[in-house]
């Protein structure tokens, strides 16, 4: 699927934008964790079975990174001046191998600076499992060119 | 340098722990960004020179991931039950190629649950440049086994 670039002026407060669906294989989970977050329950199936998760789970940041990269950046990456902050990133449920996770991003704060030709947006990400239960939420504040 | 495992019972409120120093090469910055955060000012030197940064800068999360992986996980990774949340992750200054960044992590909240044999800790990370200026701060809340 090709995702088209979108103008930052198109976004509307509280109007969610679909980021698509992702499933992570055992190998993808292990490779990401070895590179970035090598905790045993992300890298070792046997150890993960002994953990509170009772099975291999993805590093929390992998879910964001992949939906951000595949869903959000193709739409809005060309408008980014810089990232400002991340808040309220909650790891509510684990993500298991081959579990289908769907992402939505909602602009919950939009502030234009007409003099500087910039727009600051707080994007609320919501990731849900197949039962529509929240797996993660987070708020990312970004300065965009306008 | 080998970093020794530490007991979670050794930590003290507001007492910082050194995470060491990191410098990122141009290729490390580009490789990480292509995998996780492919914005032009992280992946393309020419485009980065035209950006507000006037040069290639690392993805914000790369700095955390690398100091977390090299500094924090060898000490405390074996005690982690699960991550809970991330707050106040502020991208205060960019990180350029070969810039030397030093990390410290400070337990700013410690709560034991003796019945469940768990300890919840909020770890405040501070990353500083060679001039001791803050580059990033963030707070990560983790549930540990006790």
């Amino acid at each position: 699927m090709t995702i088209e670039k979108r103008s930052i002026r198109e976004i509307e407060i509280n109007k969610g934008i679909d980021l698509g669906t992702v499933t992570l294989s055992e190998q993808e989970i292990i490779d990401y964790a070895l590179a970035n977050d090598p905790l045993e329950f992300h890298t070792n199936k046997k150890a993960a079975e002994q953990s509170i998760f009772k099975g291999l789970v993805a590093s929390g940041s992998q879910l964001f990174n992949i939906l951000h990269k595949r869903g959000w950046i193709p739409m809005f990456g060309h408008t980014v001046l810089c990232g400002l902050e991340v808040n309220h990133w909650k790891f509510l449920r684990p993500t298991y191998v081959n579990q289908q996770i769907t992402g939505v991003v909602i602009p919950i704060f939009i502030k234009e600076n007409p003099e500087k030709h910039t727009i600051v947006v707080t994007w609320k990400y919501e990731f849900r499992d197949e039962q529509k239960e929240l797996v993660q939420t987070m708020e990312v504040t970004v300065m965009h060119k306008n």
Side-chain angles (χ1 to χ4, degrees), chain A residues 68 72-73 76-83 123 142-145:
Chain A
H68 174 73
W72 190 88
I73 287 184
F76 298 109
H78 66 106
T79 70
V80 176
L81 280 171
C82 59
W123 301 87
V142 177
M143 187 181 287
H144 298 265
K145 16 184 187 203

Side-chain angles (χ1 to χ4, degrees), chain A residues 84-97:
Chain A
L84 296 176
E85 53 184 87
V86 174
N87 284 292
H88 309 305
W89 191 354
K90 294 172 196 280
F91 306 112
L92 302 168
R93 284 183 172 74
T95 304
Y96 293 94
V97 174

Side-chain angles (χ1 to χ4, degrees), chain A residues 29-30 33-34 37-45 48 56-57:
Chain A
I29 287 174
I30 292 171
L34 288 174
D37 190 13
L39 294 168
E40 273 203 324
F41 46 78
H42 300 318
T43 61
N44 180 322
K45 208 174 162 181
L56 198 74
V57 295

Side-chain angles (χ1 to χ4, degrees), chain A residues 3 17-22 32 60-80 82-86 89 101-105 123-127 136 138-142 144:
Chain A
I3 298 174
I17 298 164
D18 182 25
L19 293 176
T21 294
V22 66
Y32 179 91
S61 64
Q62 186 174 13
L63 205 54
F64 167 72
N65 279 345
I66 205 157
L67 283 160
H68 174 73
K69 176 182 166 181
R70 291 191 194 161
W72 190 88
I73 287 184
M75 283 190 273
F76 298 109
H78 66 106
T79 70
V80 176
C82 59
L84 296 176
E85 53 184 87
V86 174
W89 191 354
I101 305 289
T102 300
V104 168
V105 65
W123 301 87
K124 182 173 187 183
Y125 288 78
E126 292 183 346
F127 305 136
Q136 282 185 33
M138 69 191 299
E139 296 175 18
V140 183
T141 302
V142 177
H144 298 265

Side-chain angles (χ1 to χ4, degrees), chain A residues 21-23 96 98-102 128-130:
Chain A
T21 294
V22 66
T23 55
Y96 293 94
N98 293 329
Q99 199 181 354
Q100 191 171 299
I101 305 289
T102 300
R128 290 175 192 270
D129 64 19
E130 287 160 81

Side-chain angles (χ1 to χ4, degrees), chain A residues 3-54:
Chain A
I3 298 174
E4 283 187 23
K5 279 187 187 178
R6 294 181 58 170
S7 163
I8 196 65
R9 302 196 64 86
E10 282 178 44
I11 65 171
E12 289 175 41
I13 193 87
N14 296 331
K15 190 170 171 196
I17 298 164
D18 182 25
L19 293 176
T21 294
V22 66
T23 55
L24 296 167
S25 70
E26 190 176 305
Q27 201 55 51
E28 286 172 312
I29 287 174
I30 292 171
D31 289 347
Y32 179 91
L34 288 174
N36 299 297
D37 190 13
L39 294 168
E40 273 203 324
F41 46 78
H42 300 318
T43 61
N44 180 322
K45 208 174 162 181
K46 276 265 180 299
E49 281 162 8
Q50 307 301 315
S51 77
I52 60 171
F53 302 116
K54 314 280 182 217

